[in-house]
Amino acid sequence: MRLKNYLFYLFVSIVQMGWSTDADLQNLDCGILENHELLSTDIEALSSEECFKIGVCAYKNQNYNEAYAFLLSANLKGYDKSASFQKYFAASKLAVDSINQLARNSADLKNQIQATHHLLGSSANPVENLAKLEEQNNSSQENLLNYIFLVFAISGIFLAGKLLINHKRVNTHNIFLAIFLFGVSIMLFELSMYWIKEFNYTPKEFFFNIHFYIWAPSLYLYIRKKLNITSNGNTMKITKHYGVFVFFCLLLLIHINITDSLNSPLSPSNNVAFIIQNAYLKFFHSTLYLILLVRLYKGHKESLNFSNKKWFILAISFLAAIILIVFSRALFAEIPSFNYISKYIGAILLSLFIGVCAVMLFIQPEILTKTEALKPKTTPKVKYKNSGLTEAMIETLSHQLLELIENKKVYLDNTITLEKLAKNLNTDRYSLSQVINQEFGKNFYEFINDFRVQEAINIIEKNDYQIDLITDLIYESGFNNKVSFYKAFKKRKGMTPSQYIKEQTSDIIING
């Protein structure tokens, strides 16, 4: 029955929602409804204009019987029958008639149940029992769902902490993933605390209203760092991305600490609350990052392995779905029932995302936590047009090569050659050379040095950028001399190993 009521009010509100934009009603003061004075107001003492305005307020608050009573009084007192009056008067009458029809249908059903029960000879009242049972079942189901949301929220907070503690030193991009997951979990936590009546959680302003300004930047920085896309001035770039979130944190603090006794739309508290809660601002900010993420994915999707490609698609799709909900809430902000339904849909979506992250972290954590080894885009080489390798054979050999590289780390052997690598793959050096050239766009040593440089970076990060001797780093990452190591490192990172360590150390000091 509760669901039917929601659907009914949603239908009536959507049909009439465009009317609230009438010029003569934009500044309508509905404070009388907030003080619960509607039922005790003496209609006879009111003017026709006052009756009309109170009737409109009652309609907007879905008090359709009261709205019809006041609008009818305004009509009898000779109120000018403007277009706005005609709309609200007709709509309130339609709503009252519909509610009465629902009541009659419900009464008929109860009478049928009572008649059937009388024929069976029982003295109990089945109608009351049925109504109470239905209400209890609905309440229990809602409460159970809210507690499930709470469990997912706590699990997400735990996963974010685990991700931050266990993996941040291996790959710094996991810090941004932890921030993203923590923000998602805190929003779900606040919603479930608010919905569970036992906690009585009613803050002046929800913290999750500003979470949207940290989600999208964190996801963008996470994917960018995971793809090993780095540039000079990392600290300044990160500060710029989180600047909007910091600004809204300050607004939230101001709003919470303002003691404003004036119930006026122009009061400072209401102005700050309007900015914090504005769904359009959240939509435009998040959409900007969604565009950047899509462009980032399109530019590198050919270089991603299958697992990372699916993970990136999932993360970007999740953000897109949240943005769609935010935009819908902005469009239908005047509909209370849509506000309720959209929050529940959002909570379900948040729970599913946390659940997927939990499964991935325990089954295949490397998909989320490991830096992606990009496979460059290539075009087929003319010199291999007469090769005996088919496309299927090339794809299989390429997959086996990456597995051998990632699992056994053969690049750490500074004596590795094309012949040795081919022998490990049970193929010949010519076929392997073709696969490396054709699929990765590089020769054998460039291909191997990519992994060696990444290994050097991993060692630097594991040791908190405290490397005493660069010489030790050279041999630990698979190089056999200083010249080739420095040349390969500078080619891929745009700086020497010492410069890289110095820059990353300064970033850590600045970020705390």
Side-chain angles (χ1 to χ4, degrees), residues 18 67 106:
S106 177

Side-chain angles (χ1 to χ4, degrees), residues 252-454:
L252 184 64
L253 289 174
I254 293 171
H255 177 54
I256 291 174
N257 290 282
I258 285 179
T259 54
D260 189 5
S261 59
L262 298 175
N263 186 18
S264 169
L266 299 178
S267 66
S269 180
N270 285 340
N271 288 335
V272 175
F274 173 78
I275 296 173
I276 293 173
Q277 298 171 6
N278 193 286
Y280 285 108
L281 291 177
K282 299 182 182 75
F283 168 73
F284 288 121
H285 179 267
S286 302
T287 301
L288 174 64
Y289 278 96
L290 179 64
I291 294 171
L292 292 175
L293 281 167
V294 171
R295 290 180 60 185
L296 195 63
Y297 172 75
K298 284 186 175 181
H300 296 86
K301 67 177 181 179
E302 299 299 330
S303 305
L304 296 170
N305 62 40
F306 179 79
S307 298
N308 278 285
K309 187 180 294 186
K310 294 300 180 184
W311 162 233
F312 286 172
I313 291 174
L314 174 65
I316 294 172
S317 300
F318 168 74
L319 181 63
I322 291 294
I323 291 173
L324 181 61
I325 293 175
V326 172
F327 183 63
S328 301
R329 287 173 58 80
L331 289 179
F332 305 117
E334 300 297 326
I335 307 176
S337 53
F338 185 82
N339 176 60
Y340 174 83
I341 294 170
S342 63
K343 282 183 179 178
Y344 255 94
I345 294 174
I348 294 171
L349 191 62
L350 298 177
S351 300
L352 290 174
F353 182 78
I354 292 171
V356 170
C357 289
V359 172
M360 292 176 68
L361 276 173
F362 283 102
I363 295 179
Q364 283 185 300
E366 64 277 2
I367 295 177
L368 273 65
T369 61
K370 192 175 180 181
T371 304
E372 173 69 359
L374 294 178
K375 186 178 86 172
K377 293 186 248 186
T378 60
T379 55
K381 303 294 182 179
V382 176
K383 66 178 181 178
Y384 296 118
K385 63 180 180 179
N386 297 321
S387 170
L389 293 176
T390 63
E391 289 186 8
M393 293 168 65
I394 291 173
E395 185 177 350
T396 300
L397 190 55
S398 174
H399 180 71
Q400 291 174 348
L401 173 61
L402 286 177
E403 277 194 344
L404 182 66
I405 290 288
E406 293 175 359
N407 296 334
K408 294 190 177 181
K409 295 187 176 183
V410 293
Y411 53 85
L412 296 180
D413 179 7
N414 58 22
T415 65
I416 191 70
T417 62
L418 183 62
E419 288 79 3
K420 283 186 179 180
L421 193 58
K423 187 175 181 181
N424 286 331
L425 292 168
N426 295 319
T427 187
D428 60 273
R429 64 187 301 273
Y430 301 104
S431 297
L432 181 57
S433 178
Q434 176 184 342
V435 169
I436 295 175
N437 276 264
Q438 186 170 314
E439 294 298 297
F440 300 92
K442 302 175 182 179
N443 62 36
F444 168 73
Y445 285 106
E446 288 177 337
F447 175 75
I448 291 295
N449 284 344
D450 280 348
F451 291 95
R452 287 174 174 170
V453 170
Q454 185 56 48

Side-chain angles (χ1 to χ4, degrees), residues 16-29:
Q16 307 300 338
M17 75 174 186
W19 303 350
S20 61
T21 60
D22 292 345
D24 58 339
L25 300 176
Q26 286 182 352
N27 298 320
L28 190 61
D29 182 11

Side-chain angles (χ1 to χ4, degrees), residues 160-288:
K162 179 180 174 64
L163 191 67
L164 194 62
I165 294 171
N166 293 353
H167 299 287
K168 73 169 184 176
R169 294 188 177 183
V170 179
N171 292 298
T172 54
H173 63 272
N174 293 309
I175 296 174
F176 301 112
L177 178 59
I179 294 172
F180 180 68
L181 186 57
F182 183 77
V184 169
S185 304
I186 286 295
M187 180 174 184
L188 185 60
F189 182 80
E190 267 200 297
L191 284 173
S192 56
M193 289 285 287
Y194 175 70
W195 287 330
I196 297 173
K197 296 178 181 179
E198 288 81 358
F199 292 113
N200 195 27
Y201 179 71
T202 53
K204 183 176 180 180
E205 189 63 65
F206 288 102
F207 186 51
F208 66 70
N209 276 322
I210 64 172
H211 280 185
F212 295 93
Y213 300 104
I214 198 173
W215 285 9
S218 297
L219 184 60
Y220 174 73
L221 291 171
Y222 160 71
I223 292 181
R224 187 177 175 85
K225 292 278 285 184
K226 185 171 169 60
L227 292 174
N228 268 321
I229 301 174
T230 57
S231 58
N232 294 330
N234 279 342
T235 303
M236 185 59 67
K237 284 184 177 292
I238 291 172
T239 304
K240 288 180 180 178
H241 285 297
Y242 286 126
V244 177
F245 174 70
V246 173
F247 171 74
F248 274 88
C249 284
L250 294 175
L251 285 182
L252 184 64
L253 289 174
I254 293 171
H255 177 54
I256 291 174
N257 290 282
I258 285 179
T259 54
D260 189 5
S261 59
L262 298 175
N263 186 18
S264 169
L266 299 178
S267 66
S269 180
N270 285 340
N271 288 335
V272 175
F274 173 78
I275 296 173
I276 293 173
Q277 298 171 6
N278 193 286
Y280 285 108
L281 291 177
K282 299 182 182 75
F283 168 73
F284 288 121
H285 179 267
S286 302
T287 301
L288 174 64

Side-chain angles (χ1 to χ4, degrees), residues 48-49 72-81 85:
S48 61
E49 183 178 357
L72 181 60
S73 297
N75 184 38
L76 295 175
K77 291 182 179 186
Y79 184 76
D80 181 29
K81 296 180 175 57
F85 176 83

